[in-house]
Amino acid sequence: MSTELPEPPSKIELKAGVGGGGEIPTFNITLRVRRYLPETTAEAYWEDFKLTMYGTDRVLDALHKVKWDHDGSLSFRRSCAHGICGSDAMRINGRNRLACKTLLKDLDTSKPITVEAIKGLPLEKDLIVDMEPFFQSYREIMPFLISKGHEPTKERYQSVEDRERFDDTTKCILCAACTSSCPVFWTDGQYFGPAAIVNAHRFIFDSRDDAGDMRLEILNDKEGVWRCRTTFNCTEACPRGIQVTKAIAEVKQAILSRTV
Amino acid sequence: MSVTIPAPRSQRIDPKYKRGPKSRSSFEMLAWLFMRLSGVALIVLIFGHLISNLIVGDGINAISFGFVAGKWADPIWQFWDLAMLWLAMLHGTNGVRTIINDYAEKHSTRAWLKGILYVATIFIVVLGTLVIFTFDPCVAGSTLPQC
């Protein structure tokens, strides 16, 4: 038995030439990518790609076009391609951005668009860096709930106000855009970095967590929050709009009020 | 057929990332706090210094050896200048110390630069303190009335 389903009402017939994909303007861009191929060359170098892109395209689409149509050896990380996984943080025109959230039309397309790997982490190939130092700092601040006493049989209650306290820092996607934009981190990579402090903040100010003191002690280190010079590079770089420098300042205040 | 793959050039296979030993002290916190408190104190001290020297009375025309001698005869101004010297020197030294920490990459470079900085600071602070407390206006051939 089969019944003919009626056409869904949302379907709209589009006349050719009115709306539709053909209407999107195209423009030519020069994508200047910092290449590093450890198999063949010892030094990194710039390579230009001339591309015709659409007005709806992002930097990630341009990188896809290079990899799929021009040079398959170009290497970069990307997973979801929609600003959630945090894989494709890179330096676009000198600023740390997610390639999947940066529209080409928002950049100056008359000049070459530069794309480099994020700074301060060991370069592995092209736009791929070793994220291990970044995640090591992240692990050191114990980014998980630690509670004393018996486990409740029901959910752990939290008021709306208590949840609101650390709402901003729950948004982190660990893309490393903030940490790799920090000049203090660039020097020797010893500084914990904004991302680790943001994720510590998320638990320090969580009313359900009992290990806030331990995390404050860890961040009171000589490589901890006191190395922050409030240059606001991290706040500017964060693709999730987290007030990173403010979060670091709040952790500083928490350490101060705990000891003084 | 076997193909020999050359060894990778990147030399970054399984690197170890080690943070320096953990510091138990709160020195960095105290240094951070000192920067802010001394900064506020210095605003008051320096503006008080400028107003008393350059604006009050005859202003800048009154400044001479005798003017300074008169000021240092007063214990309040002695304390004022002593506080200004110590706070300004320690504030500045701590600022340069953080700059060295931020910009020098090697441990030995840092140690050398900071060593020079501390020696210079101690020299100036000790010399300045000595001058404030042992200042004698009656040098040979002085025409000051109190001599």
Side-chain angles (χ1 to χ4, degrees):
Chain A
M1 193 183 79
S2 72
T3 39
E4 192 90 351
L5 283 169
E7 190 92 327
S10 61
K11 193 183 174 192
I12 299 161
E13 289 294 337
L14 284 176
K15 273 184 278 178
V18 181
E23 286 276 298
I24 301 169
T26 63
F27 45 80
N28 295 318
I29 60 156
T30 307
L31 195 69
R32 183 165 289 173
V33 186
R34 187 81 173 156
R35 303 293 307 269
Y36 173 62
L37 302 162
E39 297 90 351
T40 55
T41 52
E43 291 296 314
Y45 59 96
W46 292 101
E47 188 171 358
D48 284 8
F49 297 96
K50 304 244 184 255
L51 307 167
T52 302
M53 302 303 298
Y54 293 100
T56 50
D57 280 341
R58 306 152 298 168
V59 173
L60 182 66
D61 296 305
L63 289 169
H64 278 156
K65 192 155 194 164
V66 171
K67 185 163 180 71
W68 295 340
D69 299 345
H70 294 264
D71 184 350
S73 71
L74 179 71
S75 305
F76 54 90
R77 282 199 184 101
R78 81 104 170 85
S79 299
C80 78
H82 289 84
I84 292 299
C85 71
S87 298
D88 63 349
M90 45 191 80
R91 244 164 108 80
I92 297 164
N93 280 351
R95 285 167 187 274
N96 281 6
R97 295 284 181 268
L98 293 184
C100 58
K101 283 185 84 173
T102 310
L103 285 167
L104 288 168
K105 71 176 176 63
D106 294 339
L107 302 169
D108 183 2
T109 49
S110 64
K111 281 190 250 164
I113 295 163
T114 62
V115 178
E116 306 162 70
I118 46 177
K119 278 178 78 171
L121 292 162
L123 188 59
E124 290 195 328
K125 188 181 181 186
D126 290 345
L127 303 174
I128 298 177
V129 295
D130 184 359
M131 299 280 278
E132 188 48 33
F134 172 80
F135 283 117
Q136 185 183 325
S137 298
Y138 176 61
R139 284 192 296 267
E140 275 176 67
I141 54 97
M142 303 183 289
F144 38 81
L145 184 87
I146 301 171
S147 65
K148 283 192 220 121
H150 296 291
E151 227 162 77
T153 49
K154 283 191 276 183
E155 68 189 279
R156 294 171 200 271
Y157 287 119
Q158 186 165 51
S159 70
V160 175
E161 293 75 36
D162 283 348
R163 175 62 180 72
E164 187 62 31
R165 182 67 192 85
F166 61 93
D167 186 66
D168 199 36
T169 45
T170 61
K171 297 183 212 157
C172 179
I173 54 172
L174 295 170
C175 66
C178 58
T179 295
S180 61
S181 74
C182 176
V184 177
F185 184 78
W186 292 340
T187 309
D188 55 5
Q190 289 279 304
Y191 175 40
F192 272 83
I197 299 169
V198 158
N199 285 284
H201 178 284
R202 184 250 171 272
F203 287 99
I204 290 165
F205 293 96
D206 187 337
S207 61
R208 298 164 294 188
D209 189 89
D210 294 318
D213 257 4
M214 268 161 81
R215 296 194 183 88
L216 291 177
E217 186 58 43
I218 291 165
L219 291 175
N220 194 18
D221 190 83
K222 66 180 193 302
E223 304 295 346
V225 287
W226 309 113
R227 287 208 78 180
C228 169
R229 305 273 171 266
T230 58
T231 56
F232 282 85
N233 277 18
C234 48
T235 305
E236 199 271 337
C238 181
R240 306 303 312 269
I242 300 172
Q243 297 298 306
V244 184
T245 314
K246 189 179 167 215
I248 297 172
E250 285 175 358
V251 175
K252 280 180 189 167
Q253 268 174 19
I255 296 175
L256 263 183
S257 55
R258 186 189 65 138
T259 35
V260 175
Chain B
M1 194 184 83
S2 70
V3 179
T4 315
I5 301 167
R9 294 170 178 228
S10 61
Q11 299 179 344
R12 290 194 188 93
I13 307 301
D14 190 27
K16 295 279 179 285
Y17 303 106
K18 288 261 183 282
R19 198 184 305 292
K22 218 183 133 19
S23 60
R24 282 266 120 202
S25 76
S26 290
F27 176 75
E28 290 295 334
M29 183 193 76
L30 295 172
W32 184 88
L33 196 64
F34 171 77
M35 271 322 244
R36 271 116 198 107
L37 298 179
S38 62
V40 172
L42 279 168
I43 290 174
V44 177
L45 290 169
I46 290 169
F47 275 97
H49 172 82
L50 289 176
I51 289 164
S52 77
N53 280 18
L54 307 180
I55 295 169
V56 177
D58 286 340
I60 196 161
N61 300 316
I63 292 186
S64 62
F65 185 82
F67 178 84
V68 178
K71 255 183 120 181
W72 278 349
D74 184 347
I76 292 173
W77 279 116
Q78 269 190 338
F79 173 75
W80 190 287
D81 282 4
L82 188 74
M84 205 158 63
L85 170 77
W86 277 72
L87 289 179
M89 282 310 294
L90 294 181
H91 186 94
T93 303
N94 193 35
V96 177
R97 183 184 71 89
T98 56
I99 290 170
I100 292 170
N101 279 344
D102 284 356
Y103 285 93
E105 291 182 20
K106 285 198 302 189
H107 254 299
S108 54
T109 318
R110 276 184 191 168
W112 270 107
L113 288 173
K114 283 195 268 188
I116 295 167
L117 175 71
Y118 296 154
V119 169
T121 304
I122 292 166
F123 176 73
I124 292 170
V125 167
V126 168
L127 190 69
T129 309
L130 207 67
V131 167
I132 290 172
F133 284 120
T134 62
F135 180 72
D136 181 10
C138 300
V139 286
S142 173
T143 52
L144 289 173
Q146 63 265 45
C147 292

